[in-house]
Amino acid sequence: MPPRTAPGQTREDGGGGGGRGGRGGGRGGPRGGPPPRGGPARGGAVHAPTGPAALPGSHVQAVGVKRPGYGTAGRAVTVFSNFFKISLPESVIHHYDVISPDEKVLPARLNMDLIHHLQTIDAVDVFTPRAVYDGRKNLFAPRELPFGPQNSQEFNVCLSDDPNRGSPGENTGGRGPKVYKIRLTKVAQINPEVLQRFILGQQSHDNSVLTALTALNVVVRMEPTMKYPFNVRSFFTDRETKDIGSGLVLWRGYFQSVRPAIGQLLVNVDISTGTMYKSGALMDICLEFLGRPGQHALLSPRSGLPDRERIRLQRFISGIRVKTTYAGENKTPRVVKKLSSAGAADLSFTLRDGTSRTVAQYFQTILNRPLRFPNNLCIEVGSGALIPLELCTVPPGQIMRKQVPPEKTKDVLEFATKRPEHRLASITNGLSVLQYGQSEYVRQFGMHVEDTTGPLTVSARVLQPPKLKYGPGSAQPTITPSNGAWNMIDKRFFRPASIDRWIVVVYERQQRFNPQAAQDMIDGMLRSFKDVGIRITDDKPMVTWQNGQGRIADQLRAAGTECFQRTKQRPQLIVVVLPENGNDIYTAVKHFGDITVGVATQCLKSQKCFRAKPQYYANVCLKVNVKLGGINTIPDPQSVSVLTDPRNPTIVMGADVIHPAPGSDGRPSFTALVGNVDSDTAKYIATSRVQASRVEIIEDLQDMAKHVLSMYMKYRQFAEKKTGNLAPARLIFYRDGVSEGQFKQVLDSELKSIKEACAELKINPKITIIVVAKRHHVRFFPSGSGPSEQDKSGNCLAGTVVDQVVAHPTEFDWYLQSHGGLLGTSRPAHYNVLYDENGFSADGLQSLSFALCHVYARSTRSVSIPAPVYYADIVCSRAKNHYDPQGNVDFSDSATQLDSAQAEGTLEAYKRGFKPLHANMASLMYFS
């Protein structure tokens, strides 16, 4: 999946059910009733209900839809979860605002050190017992601090005890150590009673709840953040590490988050992975990054270090903290700003007396010896000082906050992937690192984590999968998936496409992929076409070999023209064989097919299709059929009556936004909306747009929704020949990648856009909005070892749903693990219902979501999120194919950072350069 900016804390909650509830017939019946948002709950008695069946009180306001009930469908099972019980604090917590008046924003680690110094050295008597601090603005104390009637006090804190000794370019005027001013001001008192009411479903989610949860999270994280490298919610230790080369090393980390659950407070604990800079000599790390370890002379522009490599290296090490090794100094680490463009012997600076010397001469004086590598580069630190690389070392435990180089992804995955039983063991062992019992902070706040009783046991259910329907001529017309998988043996597609003309273009050298290899591939594809029912009249497609360095579009156009001259027909399908690392060719092929001329293209990697097995070509057919307008399989209408009820035609949409990678400022975000056009929710169309960088709310949703809705109505009219009402009666909108903090924005902005699109088309479907989240740390583990408890990978079975114990106290949410496991520990998707005019029951929505995980055309497995959302994700990540590969829009990693005025200008350029989808492709699943 493409990188996303980390969303806010995704809520980790519980699961739901199957069955066929919902309004359109079937069991479960209508839920009927009150306004969709924040209206009174059904039957709201005000006394605090207890146990798993506790429902929120009638006076309680939820952000989205209040939980209407719990799912009951499916087979009951018990699973372990990575949650541990935690008690609420015993007394009031005092909240202080932390301000450093004259300071720009300081790094969190420095802030932590300042407050630590303040509490343990400068003002011990004020801070007994000690307060906890989040590294930014918030400090929470277990008792009121003695600040007098003003409730505010200023402190001067000084960390350093040695005066600043100079390097070239630094002020050597003997300034004293830096003094930081810190003002603490009391802003509020937090009563834990608020949280008690909230988890019992007797209190609405408001700022007091949010602040109380923040405070508890700061309490449990305080001890580890003082000891270990940390990012927002994880910290990392060197107990378990892996060197992955390129100057990087992976550390095992632990994630922890205090979460409200039904009737209790829990702490969610998971393992995570930190990418760290390797510690040691900076020069060695640089050489390792460049792939030339030990070749010290290479780091000199004189001996031919190309500028491109120097800039690549600079991007890698900028922001890293280094210590200097000369003159036995024990100075605070310096931050690398950039690399010098010349070596130490070629860089001069002017001293106070007006004389000039080179950096190499200056350090020779200081060191009483010449530099070992005077021609090598220097680093420039924050103050402007230049220090030769050879005099710098990198202290351990520094997190690399940039994107991991793509060639290292495999190593990271290997380190991060653990079978469920190993992951659970690792989490349980991690409690000894977290040491809740030993943390003086947790104790002072009167909290207690039950870490000795082991992970929390949760009741779950395994839902029945939908039956799937294949086409006439299949050995079995309907099949029931088994643990999220089925196969295509002796099955014909529900609606196979037909191909009159196709061509093959090979971008691999002819020696490596010769005419015989090409013929074998063609034979393999023809056999598979026949097996799945795709009708093909052309069994001798034209084959050409091309050079990938040339202009791809011209080569493909020429091949198509040649096909037309020979056969008087243009090809409907271009099969392209790509060499290894053929990403640029791929982008150009997709731009040509999807944007420029509107023809289906199918790319194959030469290594994969060389002597490939029938299974490979069967998988290729899954993609080709839908690109040509076919339908692979549909859910059997009887098993998903919620979706296929003819009295309530339903459109299901999936929407997603993808943001640029960290550090690529000025690049835009891309949005996608996908929706079904057929009555079987199996055939989807897509539209995508460009918008301002890192904006999560979809700006053009009204226009996009209008397009998808009108295509749905056209298809019903012209393809399905429906008469009467063409408009959908229900619109179910799945939204990916929105954090909890943005739920309200989605409701305020995106719901409004959808309603306006409907109003423009003069239609009035009942709308349901569900957010699907994958970026959370909730995991479930089978409690038994038999096949009725776990699959071959050791994971919970596909269809495992949880909506009790670990779910949200008031909101309508659940966890659903809809896919069978393959590697590592599967991650359930977390569903939050934000809006529901259809009055769905828990069982109804849970079974509908599970059914939609089975209509993903590219595989014969159920997937981890509903197909429309999965498609929206793919359409987003393909947005760059809309740009002309010969154009001037830069998607490489080396695009530079911009200020906001420039960024606005570039956004306009990105919008102008974004070419629309070709009209031929608008009604096809070109993205499959």
Side-chain angles (χ1 to χ4, degrees):
M1 235 161 141
R4 305 241 174 120
T5 52
Q9 276 176 284
T10 35
R11 191 166 67 221
E12 346 265 282
D13 339 304
R20 288 189 279 195
R23 219 171 242 179
R27 287 166 301 197
R31 198 176 90 208
R37 218 177 126 200
R42 310 161 214 328
V46 183
H47 62 273
T50 52
L55 285 174
S58 57
H59 60 289
V60 172
Q61 295 280 316
V63 178
V65 176
K66 221 166 3 177
R67 187 183 300 287
Y70 294 92
T72 55
R75 176 171 63 84
V77 292
T78 305
V79 295
F80 292 127
S81 64
N82 54 344
F83 284 92
F84 299 86
K85 287 184 187 175
I86 183 167
S87 64
L88 279 123
E90 288 158 3
S91 49
V92 171
I93 296 172
H94 303 267
H95 181 190
Y96 292 83
D97 206 8
V98 180
I99 306 170
S100 328
D102 53 338
E103 277 307 325
K104 55 182 189 302
V105 179
L106 296 174
R109 172 56 78 197
L110 175 55
N111 284 337
M112 296 296 289
D113 290 344
L114 290 168
I115 295 288
H116 183 67
H117 201 277
L118 175 65
Q119 295 203 84
T120 53
I121 293 165
D122 294 355
V124 183
D125 48 340
V126 175
F127 296 98
T128 307
R130 281 185 214 161
V132 296
Y133 174 50
D134 70 352
R136 290 184 189 79
K137 299 277 292 174
N138 301 299
L139 183 123
F140 300 100
R143 65 161 192 146
E144 185 155 12
L145 301 177
F147 290 168
Q150 297 295 307
N151 268 330
S152 183
Q153 191 167 333
E154 193 164 280
F155 299 89
N156 292 334
V157 183
C158 159
L159 286 179
S160 169
D161 43 21
D162 61 322
N164 203 358
R165 292 195 279 277
S167 316
E170 259 183 354
N171 170 4
T172 48
R175 273 183 319 195
K178 184 164 179 53
V179 174
Y180 294 92
K181 277 192 181 341
I182 294 172
R183 175 169 282 287
L184 299 183
T185 308
K186 182 162 181 180
V187 284
Q189 293 199 44
I190 299 164
N191 189 341
E193 183 57 34
V194 173
L195 273 183
Q196 182 61 34
R197 285 204 308 274
F198 181 64
I199 57 181
L200 290 173
Q202 297 298 303
Q203 155 95 30
S204 303
H205 190 287
D206 58 16
N207 265 348
S208 64
V209 173
L210 217 60
T211 315
L213 283 170
T214 305
L216 301 196
N217 271 307
V218 176
V219 172
V220 298
R221 290 177 190 145
M222 185 69 182
E223 187 94 4
T225 29
M226 295 312 303
K227 291 191 198 161
Y228 304 107
F230 61 91
N231 65 15
V232 190
R233 295 194 294 281
S234 292
F235 64 90
F236 306 95
T237 83
D238 54 4
R239 284 184 171 195
E240 198 182 336
T241 63
K242 176 184 182 178
D243 185 337
I244 58 169
S246 292
L248 297 173
V249 60
L250 302 176
W251 283 25
R252 177 74 67 225
Y254 297 93
F255 165 95
Q256 48 178 351
S257 169
V258 175
R259 320 237 15 120
I262 298 169
Q264 56 188 346
L265 203 59
L266 301 175
V267 59
N268 177 209
V269 180
D270 195 17
I271 52 173
S272 57
T273 300
T275 310
M276 304 287 188
Y277 289 105
K278 193 176 284 190
S279 57
L282 180 59
M283 197 151 68
D284 293 343
I285 293 163
C286 291
L287 288 166
E288 196 177 300
F289 174 76
L290 295 171
R292 313 295 279 278
Q295 306 178 27
H296 296 105
L298 269 182
L299 290 170
S300 145
R302 278 195 194 179
S303 46
L305 176 73
D307 209 42
R308 192 187 67 242
E309 286 291 273
R310 182 182 68 82
I311 288 171
R312 197 168 73 89
L313 179 61
Q314 174 173 292
R315 205 174 318 117
F316 175 67
I317 64 164
S318 63
I320 193 171
R321 293 196 311 278
V322 295
K323 287 197 160 175
T324 45
T325 55
Y326 52 91
E329 293 191 32
N330 184 22
K331 290 173 62 173
T332 42
R334 319 297 249 324
V335 176
V336 177
K337 209 160 76 186
K338 56 185 192 185
L339 278 172
S340 60
S341 47
D346 300 322
L347 289 166
S348 309
F349 64 101
T350 311
L351 290 159
R352 288 210 174 138
D353 56 11
T355 57
S356 171
R357 353 180 19 184
T358 66
V359 173
Q361 289 164 341
Y362 171 87
F363 277 99
Q364 180 161 0
T365 317
I366 280 195
L367 297 167
N368 289 327
R369 65 168 176 81
L371 289 173
R372 289 174 58 209
F373 304 102
N375 295 328
N376 278 8
L377 298 170
C378 298
I379 58 161
E380 187 179 314
V381 293
S383 57
L386 291 160
I387 307 167
L389 279 179
E390 65 182 83
L391 300 179
C392 300
T393 61
V394 178
Q398 292 192 58
I399 302 174
M400 191 202 50
R401 299 181 193 275
K402 305 181 176 86
Q403 218 180 333
V404 177
E407 67 277 8
K408 295 289 169 204
T409 313
K410 188 165 165 278
D411 295 307
V412 177
L413 286 175
E414 276 172 12
F415 181 74
T417 304
K418 274 186 180 297
R419 275 184 66 91
E421 63 272 27
H422 299 149
R423 189 182 193 99
L424 189 56
S426 190
I427 289 166
T428 315
N429 296 341
L431 293 172
S432 63
V433 183
L434 290 157
Q435 290 189 319
Y436 291 122
Q438 274 79 55
S439 162
E440 63 164 311
Y441 302 102
V442 175
R443 283 208 310 274
Q444 296 289 7
F445 280 83
M447 291 158 67
H448 171 67
V449 178
E450 290 184 24
D451 49 6
T452 47
T453 52
L456 200 62
T457 309
V458 179
S459 50
R461 290 166 289 117
V462 180
L463 303 184
Q464 270 298 103
K467 290 191 167 64
L468 301 175
K469 205 166 172 181
Y470 277 91
S474 304
Q476 317 155 257
T478 62
I479 53 161
T480 305
S482 157
N483 193 30
W486 62 99
N487 63 47
M488 277 289 302
I489 296 168
D490 296 333
K491 312 261 186 333
R492 306 276 179 279
F493 285 146
F494 179 75
R495 192 188 304 148
S498 52
I499 304 172
D500 295 325
R501 251 329 132 230
W502 60 305
I503 59 173
V504 178
V505 181
V506 184
Y507 280 101
E508 185 62 274
R509 296 201 317 276
Q510 205 157 342
Q511 300 92 302
R512 294 192 61 168
F513 200 84
N514 60 23
Q516 185 55 51
Q519 192 53 50
D520 290 347
M521 181 203 79
I522 290 166
D523 293 343
M525 287 193 77
L526 289 169
R527 267 196 302 277
S528 261
F529 285 155
K530 184 167 164 282
D531 288 344
V532 296
I534 293 178
R535 294 177 289 285
I536 186 148
T537 47
D538 176 8
D539 58 359
K540 291 196 169 50
M542 190 184 97
V543 185
T544 66
W545 274 261
Q546 297 290 347
N547 177 357
Q549 303 301 317
R551 288 186 71 114
I552 310 295
D554 296 350
Q555 297 164 340
L556 295 176
R557 188 173 274 114
T561 308
E562 189 183 335
C563 172
F564 181 71
Q565 285 162 351
R566 287 194 197 175
T567 65
K568 296 293 168 278
Q569 283 176 307
R570 297 210 174 274
Q572 291 157 281
L573 171 69
I574 304 176
V575 173
V576 178
V577 178
L578 296 176
E580 208 42 31
N581 302 324
N583 290 354
D584 294 348
I585 307 175
Y586 173 84
T587 304
V589 167
K590 290 297 167 193
H591 184 79
F592 176 80
D594 296 344
I595 313 298
T596 313
V597 298
V599 61
T601 51
Q602 179 59 57
C603 295
L604 309 176
K605 284 190 172 169
S606 64
Q607 282 181 317
K608 294 269 200 244
C609 67
F610 182 68
R611 298 190 178 150
K613 295 187 167 69
Q615 178 65 51
Y616 173 80
Y617 292 115
N619 287 342
V620 172
C621 286
L622 292 172
K623 291 156 69 77
V624 169
N625 190 49
V626 291
K627 284 179 188 176
L628 294 169
I631 296 176
N632 295 353
T633 177
I634 64 165
D636 182 34
Q638 276 141 15
S639 66
V640 282
S641 56
V642 165
L643 284 174
T644 54
D645 174 13
R647 290 161 308 176
N648 281 308
T650 302
I651 182 166
V652 182
M653 294 181 178
D656 195 12
V657 181
I658 181 178
H659 303 297
S664 358
D665 296 351
R667 291 205 208 157
S669 290
F670 294 107
T671 61
L673 181 69
V674 173
N676 64 306
V677 287
D678 65 331
S679 300
D680 295 305
T681 58
K683 185 179 169 73
Y684 291 84
I685 59 152
T687 175
S688 64
R689 300 279 194 281
V690 194
Q691 71 181 30
S693 187
R694 300 199 166 85
V695 171
E696 184 52 59
I697 298 301
I698 302 173
E699 288 169 6
D700 298 328
L701 185 60
Q702 184 178 339
D703 192 35
M704 295 160 85
K706 188 180 161 191
H707 167 76
V708 172
L709 284 163
S710 46
M711 293 288 283
Y712 172 87
M713 296 195 302
K714 271 186 209 154
Y715 188 87
R716 280 176 69 77
Q717 185 178 358
F718 298 112
E720 297 188 337
K721 304 282 188 282
K722 293 276 197 288
T723 51
N725 189 7
L726 302 171
R730 296 194 284 218
L731 188 162
I732 301 173
F733 181 79
Y734 283 96
R735 179 68 159 87
D736 190 9
V738 184
S739 63
E740 265 170 54
Q742 293 165 317
F743 286 176
K744 186 143 176 29
Q745 279 172 281
V746 169
L747 278 169
D748 294 345
S749 164
E750 296 188 0
L751 174 61
K752 185 164 159 269
S753 298
I754 296 169
K755 288 194 159 172
E756 282 169 0
C758 293
E760 267 189 79
L761 294 167
K762 300 190 172 45
I763 61 175
N764 189 21
K766 292 190 167 170
I767 298 169
T768 296
I769 294 181
I770 304 169
V771 170
V772 188
K774 288 274 301 198
R775 304 189 60 123
H776 58 74
H777 282 272
V778 177
R779 300 289 182 278
F780 298 117
F781 306 88
S783 59
S785 54
S788 64
E789 300 268 346
Q790 60 169 259
D791 63 15
K792 286 180 184 151
S793 68
N795 279 290
C796 294
L797 300 170
T800 300
V801 71
V802 173
D803 64 356
Q804 303 203 8
V805 187
V806 297
H808 194 275
T810 57
E811 309 279 340
F812 184 7
D813 75 325
W814 68 89
Y815 291 94
L816 169 62
Q817 201 157 301
S818 52
H819 56 302
L822 287 171
L823 280 175
T825 307
S826 300
R827 180 190 315 217
H830 181 206
Y831 296 78
N832 272 284
V833 185
L834 294 197
Y835 188 80
D836 181 23
E837 293 176 341
N838 287 296
F840 283 118
S841 64
D843 278 337
L845 272 184
Q846 290 163 7
S847 71
L848 178 143
S849 302
F850 187 39
L852 286 169
C853 296
H854 291 78
V855 296
Y856 181 66
R858 294 166 30 152
S859 67
T860 56
R861 300 181 67 86
S862 59
V863 286
S864 58
I865 51 179
V869 195
Y870 209 131
Y871 289 142
D873 202 276
I874 296 169
V875 172
C876 275
S877 56
R878 292 201 170 186
K880 62 177 184 293
N881 301 347
H882 286 259
Y883 292 94
D884 183 353
Q886 303 292 333
N888 52 6
V889 173
D890 183 14
F891 276 98
S892 71
D893 284 344
S894 53
T896 47
Q897 289 162 4
L898 308 165
D899 62 35
S900 57
Q902 278 175 298
E904 239 163 77
T906 36
L907 176 61
E908 278 317 304
Y910 274 113
K911 283 190 168 171
R912 277 197 307 277
F914 190 83
K915 303 273 187 296
L917 196 60
H918 192 279
N920 292 2
M921 293 291 160
S923 60
L924 296 171
M925 291 171 65
Y926 68 93
F927 44 82
S928 82

